[in-house]
Amino acid sequence: MEQNILDKANEWLTPTFDQDTQDRIKNMLAHAPKELEESFYKNLEFGTGGMRGIMGVGTNRINKYTLGKNTQGLSDYLKKSFPNETLKVVIAYDCRHNSDTLAKVVADVFSANGIHVYLFSEMRPTPELSFALKHLNCHAGIVLTASHNPPEYNGYKVYWQDGGQLVPPQDGEIIERIESLKYEDIQFQANENLIEYIDAAIDAAFAKSTIENCSFNTPTLAKENLKIVYTSLHGTSIKAIPGVLAQAGYTDVNIVKEQETPNGDFPTVKSPNPEEPEALTMALALADNIEADIVIGTDPDSDRLGVAVRDTHGKMILLNGNQTMVIMTAFLLEQWKRAGKIDGKQFIGSTIVSTPMMLELASAYDVECKVGLTGFKWIAKFIKDFPELKFIGGGEESFGFMVGDAVRDKDAVGACLLVCEIAAQAKASGSTLYQELINLYVDHGFYKEHLISLTKKGMDGLKEIDQMMINLRENPVSEIDGQRVVCIEDYKNSTAKNMFTGEITPISIPKSNVLIYYLEDGSKICARPSGTEPKIKFYFSVNAPLNRAEDFETVSQELDVKIKNIIAAMQLN
């Protein structure tokens, strides 16, 4: 075992750490050296969606000390940034094991540093945290969640004054402060007078805001005629979505009872991720049993939304994140156009790994499409950086969407209401959500996407992922499936290279470990290590004209073959 790992472990055997922590480390030293290595070989890092990791002891684990150190560093940074202000933060947490106790630890550290804390009395959705931060005029916010990761994970997301997650330069400056601290610097002794519990009043304000932002004059009868199946997948959205739908006028909402109770073990699913069709098995079965129009499922902290609808044959199918994003964005653009609110000072948001069809929609409605790195913190940053422009909505391929700027993160509560509005209006007009998607493909081109995620766990997995990215950079391919590579964008080096001329141009988007290949026929291939999971992801986008709705299935099959051939050519299957 490397000496630096042993040195880190021995530090955790000092009186700074509680006896239980010390006993567990001694046990690993004696009986589980590999586990000790995995627990200490690195410090947990902030990624795309904050910090996530396996719960346990060690520097590479989520525990009271790693989160306490984060919170102490953030407290110091807040005092430096706002020296003459009464500091306020708000904290929320999800259904995961230890989320409530870890949230209290975080609250204790803030209060020990003289910072006023608003702490939700029970679990709440992540988007409500973003809303509450602005509603209560706080300086920062924390949510304890690991999103859709497995049960053994937890996490720590940090939000800033605008309601969005940390972005440069604050993130780097805060991390620098955290890394300069020693564990004995953490102030754990709470000032209970500075901790204020919040719940019903914020719930009501959040619901009111959601209904105002995501309702679009859908007739009452149309709402009542939409038959909805909804599952929280044992997560926090049960605290918000049923109430919001009821207040908005949707009366036929059928909850999957087996998944209604919050449970950090997520006992009925392999993964509580609505991106995975298996997660919605129970919901789809209920939908077929009662002949529902739409299925909606959310992840544990209620920022991701999965939607299933009936296809042209009446079969329930799960839409992917790009499809739901396109449907919702197009609907919002049309509503804004009809209301006469588009004057060239609006924008929609997307990410570099999401469907290029967002650019087509923006062009068709004469608005700008701002494209950033993966993660809604970058869309939130656009809202902050361009106050002269009004944000309509936007999303990313990983089942996230945001309507307007009341919430500055992906929001499954608002997106749920919006997609119900679209489905209800479509049904009332004799159409379906699926048919509306096909119509968009006819109008703007048929874009089809596919994702491959390769899981590589632990220290060895991280090295393997790093090597895969090195190989892609050092040995770039010039042709894939008979199509020449036109351009390679390397976001780590901030360059775009024209493969025909050799010309290199700078990329203005912040640096990130991402590579994108563009092919002659308009296909797009992206490689990116996940910022929150031990995975490397490959994103594929292909497209073709769709001249008639009747040709949808034929063209869809042709695009499937194209994706399959690209994957084979890259030897990823």
Side-chain angles (χ1 to χ4, degrees), residues 48 50 75 197 280 363 369 443 478 481 504 510 518 544 550 553 572:
T48 308
S75 298
Y197 289 90
L280 298 181
S363 176
C369 181
D443 292 341
S478 58
D481 187 34
I504 295 176
Y518 294 91
E550 292 79 8
E553 291 189 12
L572 293 173

Side-chain angles (χ1 to χ4, degrees), residues 174-376:
I174 290 170
I175 291 168
E176 185 178 344
R177 177 55 190 162
I178 291 168
E179 291 179 346
S180 73
L181 293 173
K182 297 178 180 179
Y183 287 102
E184 53 263 36
D185 296 329
I186 306 168
Q187 298 181 47
F188 281 116
Q189 298 303 313
N191 180 347
E192 297 291 347
N193 294 326
L194 292 179
I195 300 176
E196 179 180 345
Y197 289 90
I198 56 175
D199 38 48
I202 302 299
D203 295 342
F206 176 57
K208 181 175 183 288
S209 172
T210 300
I211 293 167
E212 288 175 351
N213 289 328
C214 303
S215 297
F216 292 90
N217 302 312
T218 303
T220 299
L221 185 60
K223 295 179 182 180
E224 293 173 349
N225 284 341
L226 185 70
K227 189 180 287 290
I228 304 164
V229 166
Y230 154 72
T231 176
S232 61
L233 297 179
H234 305 289
T236 60
S237 71
I238 199 71
K239 298 286 187 180
I241 286 178
V244 164
L245 289 177
Q247 289 181 53
Y250 289 90
T251 57
D252 198 351
V253 179
N254 303 271
I255 299 174
V256 178
K257 295 299 181 182
E258 299 92 334
Q259 298 174 329
E260 182 177 16
T261 303
N263 188 331
D265 287 324
F266 313 112
T268 65
V269 294
K270 291 180 181 177
S271 170
N273 184 358
E275 293 180 79
E276 304 290 343
E278 180 275 335
L280 298 181
T281 298
M282 287 184 172
L284 292 171
L286 177 58
D288 284 338
N289 187 43
I290 66 173
E291 298 182 345
D293 300 302
I294 187 170
V295 167
I296 293 167
T298 58
D299 68 342
D301 69 325
S302 188
D303 59 0
R304 294 171 191 253
L305 181 79
V307 178
V309 295
R310 298 201 179 276
D311 65 12
T312 52
H313 302 289
K315 179 184 177 182
M316 273 284 174
I317 63 165
L318 178 64
L319 300 177
N320 65 44
N322 287 299
Q323 290 171 322
T324 54
M325 170 171 59
V326 163
I327 291 169
M328 289 190 279
T329 303
F331 179 84
L332 290 175
L333 287 166
E334 186 62 24
Q335 296 300 312
W336 279 59
K337 180 180 178 181
R338 290 179 183 177
K341 296 196 298 182
I342 292 181
D343 60 6
K345 296 181 180 179
Q346 294 76 36
F347 77 98
I348 60 175
S350 186
T351 72
I352 58 175
V353 300
S354 299
T355 178
M357 191 171 173
M358 290 289 282
L359 299 169
E360 299 296 331
L361 289 174
S363 176
Y365 284 88
D366 293 323
V367 302
E368 187 176 351
C369 181
K370 292 189 176 295
V371 180
L373 295 175
T374 303
F376 269 71

Side-chain angles (χ1 to χ4, degrees), residues 424-554:
Q425 291 187 24
K427 185 177 181 180
S429 66
S431 182
T432 66
L433 204 66
Y434 199 71
Q435 187 60 53
E436 293 304 302
L437 176 63
I438 293 173
N439 293 343
L440 290 173
Y441 289 149
V442 172
D443 292 341
H444 305 286
F446 191 169
Y447 286 78
K448 194 163 195 177
E449 280 75 32
H450 183 72
L451 169 67
I452 289 180
S453 293
L454 304 178
T455 300
K456 308 286 183 180
K457 293 184 178 180
M459 184 166 59
D460 292 339
L462 180 62
K463 291 178 180 177
E464 191 174 348
I465 289 172
D466 288 344
Q467 190 59 50
M468 291 175 75
M469 292 301 294
I470 289 170
N471 292 343
L472 285 169
R473 282 193 170 87
E474 293 182 352
N475 305 291
V477 294
S478 58
E479 184 180 291
I480 300 174
D481 187 34
Q483 295 290 325
R484 290 184 297 174
V485 176
V486 176
C487 176
I488 298 177
E489 292 179 343
D490 188 341
Y491 289 82
K492 188 174 184 179
N493 299 324
S494 299
T495 59
K497 182 176 182 179
N498 185 314
M499 300 301 287
F500 293 168
T501 66
E503 181 184 6
I504 295 176
T505 55
I507 295 174
S508 59
I509 292 176
K511 292 181 183 294
S512 184
N513 190 12
V514 182
L515 278 172
I516 300 181
Y517 286 70
Y518 294 91
L519 308 187
E520 279 182 296
D521 61 358
S523 299
K524 174 183 170 185
I525 303 149
C526 172
R528 167 187 165 264
S530 172
T532 54
E533 300 172 275
K535 294 179 178 179
I536 182 169
K537 297 185 175 184
F538 292 88
Y539 306 79
F540 306 89
S541 178
V542 298
N543 64 87
L546 182 62
N547 298 318
R548 304 181 310 150
E550 292 79 8
D551 298 331
F552 170 75
E553 291 189 12
T554 299

Side-chain angles (χ1 to χ4, degrees), residues 86-89 107-119 190-197:
T86 301
L87 296 174
K88 298 185 295 183
V89 300
D108 290 348
V109 175
F110 278 129
S111 68
N113 282 274
I115 297 171
H116 188 92
V117 179
Y118 296 101
L119 175 61
N191 180 347
E192 297 291 347
N193 294 326
L194 292 179
I195 300 176
E196 179 180 345
Y197 289 90

